[in-house]
Amino acid sequence: MFYILYANKEHLVKRELQRCISNQTFTALLGSKDNMSKGLLETYPNAPIMFKDTLFVDFLDLPKKHSESRLRNGLLEHMKQFILELGKDFIFMDQEYRLNIGASTFKADLLHRHNSLS
């Protein structure tokens, strides 16, 4: 019943629904309270139901327990490859490119340049 309601709510096509079933979306969205603090669960016992925007990154092939830096690096590498596959006009410039704006310094995760728009 969950998958029928979820597919209707999210307007899933057949392929997306099959992916949700194989990824056990039900368990990820509603079944596990392990990744929530005890304080949150005491204050809001229905918190797992309230948090609907779960991110599925199975394409990264990360183990169940992984570091945030490993997740970040995997996402950045996939984003970099995706942008480079958009065409020859995109050039990868740098990763964690330092930007000085006034007295502040920021780091751009990925810096690309589009030749046609330059």
Side-chain angles (χ1 to χ4, degrees), residues 17-68:
L17 178 58
Q18 288 172 329
R19 182 174 167 261
C20 287
I21 293 169
S22 67
N23 287 343
Q24 300 178 346
T25 300
F26 175 80
T27 303
L29 288 177
L30 304 175
S32 177
K33 296 181 183 181
D34 296 341
N35 60 350
M36 296 190 171
S37 72
K38 290 179 182 176
L40 177 69
L41 289 173
E42 287 173 7
T43 307
Y44 302 101
N46 292 327
I49 296 168
M50 291 170 21
F51 294 109
K52 301 287 187 195
D53 297 332
T54 299
L55 182 64
F56 293 100
V57 291
D58 53 328
F59 59 91
L60 296 176
D61 294 323
L62 295 172
K64 284 272 189 202
K65 296 200 177 228
H66 57 271
S67 66
E68 185 176 336

Side-chain angles (χ1 to χ4, degrees), residues 4-114:
I4 293 170
L5 296 172
Y6 185 71
N8 182 49
K9 179 183 176 290
E10 298 295 327
H11 307 289
L12 301 180
V13 295
K14 180 182 174 184
R15 186 174 177 185
E16 292 170 327
L17 178 58
Q18 288 172 329
R19 182 174 167 261
C20 287
I21 293 169
S22 67
N23 287 343
Q24 300 178 346
T25 300
F26 175 80
T27 303
L29 288 177
L30 304 175
S32 177
K33 296 181 183 181
D34 296 341
N35 60 350
M36 296 190 171
S37 72
K38 290 179 182 176
L40 177 69
L41 289 173
E42 287 173 7
T43 307
Y44 302 101
N46 292 327
I49 296 168
M50 291 170 21
F51 294 109
K52 301 287 187 195
D53 297 332
T54 299
L55 182 64
F56 293 100
V57 291
D58 53 328
F59 59 91
L60 296 176
D61 294 323
L62 295 172
K64 284 272 189 202
K65 296 200 177 228
H66 57 271
S67 66
E68 185 176 336
S69 64
R70 191 167 175 186
L71 171 66
R72 180 185 177 281
N73 291 338
L75 287 172
L76 288 175
E77 184 59 32
H78 276 77
M79 288 170 47
K80 174 182 165 184
Q81 292 305 319
F82 172 75
I83 292 172
L84 289 174
E85 288 180 19
L86 291 176
K88 61 183 169 95
D89 286 338
F90 284 95
I91 298 171
F92 173 69
M93 301 293 289
D94 201 358
Q95 189 166 329
E96 293 193 15
Y97 184 80
R98 296 173 64 87
L99 298 168
N100 295 318
I101 301 173
S104 300
T105 301
F106 302 92
K107 287 185 180 178
D109 288 327
L110 296 174
L111 180 64
H112 290 317
R113 179 171 181 253
H114 190 280

